[in-house]
Amino acid sequence: MIHPIKMKTTLIAAAEVDRLETWQRYTSNMCHGCHSTCCTLPVEVKIKDLIRIGVVDEFEKDEPPKNVAKRLQKEGIIERFNQKSGIFTLTRMSNDDCMYLDRKSRLCTIYDKRPDTCRNHPKVGPRPGYCAYKPKVVGR
């Protein structure tokens, strides 16, 4: 008697950003097929990240951070500033996308200058080693 080969079906579920238990263990091949879900998370940055991005000049790093924050909030670059930690949070669009994420390509427009938070994801973040993976919607 010939036994049919049992094939294991893999269900690719989409993670829910706010439910960490739905996140998948990160593998490097995930990014190519993802909808850039990590780019919808709040991005915390330090002054050196803002200098690298090019929204703060090198000479401004000696200014009081709250003054820099006030200017960046006025310009719509940051949402908030935590004076105690010295951490700024980048502005997100109305759909929660990072302001530097291209809406069509879903790629970072400042990839070479991206903040350390982005460079270190998913090693750091809400659930280290895991990703809020959502497969890209394939156009018809």
Side-chain angles (χ1 to χ4, degrees), residues 17 30-41 92-111 132-138:
V17 176
M30 293 171 103
C31 296
H32 300 293
C34 186
H35 189 67
S36 305
T37 315
C38 56
C39 298
T40 66
L41 297 169
R92 291 184 289 168
M93 306 305 278
S94 60
N95 64 352
D96 285 338
D97 281 356
C98 173
M99 65 184 293
Y100 295 109
L101 183 68
D102 183 276
R103 284 187 177 217
K104 287 187 179 185
S105 70
R106 306 295 299 164
L107 297 174
C108 180
T109 60
I110 60 163
Y111 189 80
Y133 177 79
K134 284 186 183 176
K136 278 186 183 175
V137 177
V138 181

Side-chain angles (χ1 to χ4, degrees), residues 60-128:
E60 283 183 286
K61 73 179 179 189
D62 297 326
E63 272 191 47
K66 67 179 184 177
N67 293 354
V68 175
K70 189 179 274 187
R71 177 181 68 80
L72 295 176
Q73 280 180 312
K74 199 176 203 178
E75 293 176 12
I77 294 169
I78 66 163
E79 287 178 2
R80 62 187 164 275
F81 172 65
N82 182 318
Q83 195 165 344
K84 189 175 180 181
S85 66
I87 293 176
F88 303 80
T89 304
L90 291 179
T91 295
R92 291 184 289 168
M93 306 305 278
S94 60
N95 64 352
D96 285 338
D97 281 356
C98 173
M99 65 184 293
Y100 295 109
L101 183 68
D102 183 276
R103 284 187 177 217
K104 287 187 179 185
S105 70
R106 306 295 299 164
L107 297 174
C108 180
T109 60
I110 60 163
Y111 189 80
D112 292 337
K113 298 187 267 181
R114 71 194 183 281
D116 287 342
T117 300
C118 303
R119 291 170 189 266
N120 295 321
H121 183 77
K123 290 178 261 173
V124 297
R127 189 174 180 197

